[in-house]
């Protein structure tokens, strides 16, 4: 049962503030367009969306112009390994390998087992001792739990969902459609800069 404090805020989903610690899949703070992607590493639709984002960036050829920010939203009641996978990604981010682990978890993982997590960490040349210490760090699970609470407070309760320059885009968006939306945003951004 949902407790009253667990209930999502009513209204349309709202974009979160971007934190300096949020992992990036492309671009940087000076990129012209920002795409915030909420996802769950055990969600098939999120995997499809991750592939579509990657394909859209390739189609536009503007990877540096689009800052893609990742936000975890593990739906633990539906996906029992989602929080563990989010923790693995967060610990990889501490060693500068978030994007690589994100791709491994979405595109190569079979069962999101601890054995698989460790194999990916070794492939990515992570410092295994630091990685294992991080996995047991209560601060990581505390932050991920707080992120889920923050998402609920912003009426973000389902994945996949993205925010393109603050505008919510719910559900799966295919690569050509996303590429076209990015082109329009980048074109508008370029036009406003020349005025």
């Amino acid at each position: 049962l949902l407790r009253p404090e667990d209930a999502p805020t009513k209204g349309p989903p709202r974009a979160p503030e971007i934190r300096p610690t949020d992992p990036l899949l492309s671009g940087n703070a000076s990129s012209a367009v920002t795409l915030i992607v909420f996802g769950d590493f055990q969600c098939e639709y999120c995997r499809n969306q991750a592939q579509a984002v990657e394909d859209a960036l390739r189609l536009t050829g503007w990877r540096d112009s689009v800052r893609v920010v990742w936000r975890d939203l593990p739906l633990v009641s539906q996906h029992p390994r989602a929080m563990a996978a989010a923790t693995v990604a967060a610990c990889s981010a501490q060693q500068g390998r978030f994007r690589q682990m994100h791709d491994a978890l979405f595109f190569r993982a079979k069962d999101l087992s601890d054995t698989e997590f460790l194999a990916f960490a070794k492939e990515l040349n992570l410092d295994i001792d630091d990685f294992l210490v991080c996995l047991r760090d209560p601060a990581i699970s505390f932050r991920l739990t707080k992120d889920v609470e923050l998402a609920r407070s912003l009426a973000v309760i389902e994945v996949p969902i993205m925010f393109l320059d603050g505008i919510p885009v719910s559900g799966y968006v295919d690569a050509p459609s996303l590429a076209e939306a990015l082109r329009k945003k980048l074109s508008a951004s370029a036009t406003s800069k020349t005025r």
Side-chain angles (χ1 to χ4, degrees), residues 118-148:
L118 191 57
F120 289 151
K122 288 177 180 174
E123 281 178 31
L124 297 177
N125 294 318
L126 298 185
D127 180 307
I128 299 302
D129 290 339
D130 287 351
F131 179 71
L132 293 173
V133 167
C134 179
L135 292 180
R136 293 187 295 272
D137 184 350
I140 300 292
S141 58
F142 179 78
R143 181 183 62 74
L144 289 169
T145 301
K146 284 294 184 192
D147 279 356
V148 170

Side-chain angles (χ1 to χ4, degrees), residues 38-40 43 45-46 71 73-75 79 156-161 171:
F38 277 87
D40 170 325
C43 162
Y45 296 110
C46 296
R71 292 299 284 266
L73 187 55
L75 304 179
H79 303 135
V156 177
I157 56 172
E158 297 177 323
V159 287
I161 184 171

Side-chain angles (χ1 to χ4, degrees), residues 83-94:
M83 185 63 84
T87 302
V88 164
C91 289
S92 301
Q94 288 191 354

